[in-house]
Amino acid sequence: MALPTLALSLQFGELANAAPHRAALPRHFVTRCLRHALDGDAEITVRIVDTEEGQALNSGYRKKDYATNVLTFDYAIEPVVMADLVLCAPVVAKEAKALKISLAQHYAHLLVHGTLHAQGWDHETSEADAQAMEARETEILARLGWPDPYAKQR
């Protein structure tokens, strides 16, 4: 089965320590993660931001005054998924360190997670929806060669 087509814009905001994030997110890696998580063709912008930009976006759009790991702005699902994924580099780095996993592994999970959100998946609506989304993420990450990100939580 052929993977969906993807028009990708990969952007790095003003980051104090961008080198490890750029190294963990080569364009081919981001493309592979997104395409495996897509059910159809897509146009997606992935933007890597600092804490200040991440907090401003989360506060402005979700009314939550803190920087979060990934924000998904979904504009269309059909006929083509159109979305922006915003990942906050300092939050991702802190979480990866706490989880004792590589930056690339955590980014892979968050790229898949955000892409599923862009297609209508939601983990905050019910426990059943959360379990379904986690199972889908785990399946996609396994195809990408990554372990179950929720294994330690179960």
Side-chain angles (χ1 to χ4, degrees):
M1 181 170 102
L3 291 173
T5 61
L6 171 65
L8 171 65
S9 174
L10 179 58
Q11 305 172 357
F12 288 84
E14 296 292 324
L15 299 177
N17 187 16
H21 300 279
R22 286 184 180 276
L25 291 166
R27 185 177 185 81
H28 66 88
F29 173 84
V30 175
T31 299
R32 186 169 182 259
C33 290
L34 298 182
R35 287 182 73 205
H36 274 80
L38 286 166
D39 292 328
D41 298 341
E43 296 175 11
I44 297 178
T45 296
V46 173
R47 182 166 172 81
I48 312 305
V49 302
D50 64 7
T51 304
E52 184 179 352
E53 187 174 346
Q55 182 171 351
L57 288 167
N58 201 28
S59 179
Y61 290 94
R62 295 180 64 226
K63 308 301 182 225
K64 296 184 179 187
D65 194 25
Y66 57 88
T68 190
N69 52 18
V70 61
L71 291 167
T72 301
F73 299 93
D74 52 333
Y75 308 113
I77 295 176
E78 293 181 352
V80 175
V81 172
M82 297 176 75
D84 294 336
L85 304 182
V86 179
L87 293 100
C88 184
V91 173
V92 176
K94 182 179 178 183
E95 290 176 350
K97 185 176 180 180
L99 293 166
K100 296 182 171 91
I101 60 175
S102 71
L103 201 50
Q105 181 177 343
H106 199 37
Y107 270 124
H109 178 206
L110 295 173
L111 289 165
V112 167
H113 183 87
T115 302
L116 290 179
H117 273 308
Q119 297 172 99
W121 290 79
D122 196 338
H123 54 86
E124 295 180 350
T125 47
S126 72
E127 184 60 31
D129 287 347
Q131 289 177 359
M133 188 168 175
E134 287 178 11
R136 182 75 174 127
E137 289 172 33
T138 299
E139 170 194 322
I140 293 164
L141 289 165
R143 285 199 327 260
L144 290 166
W146 297 107
D148 180 352
Y150 299 103
K152 292 179 184 176
Q153 299 172 21
R154 293 188 180 114

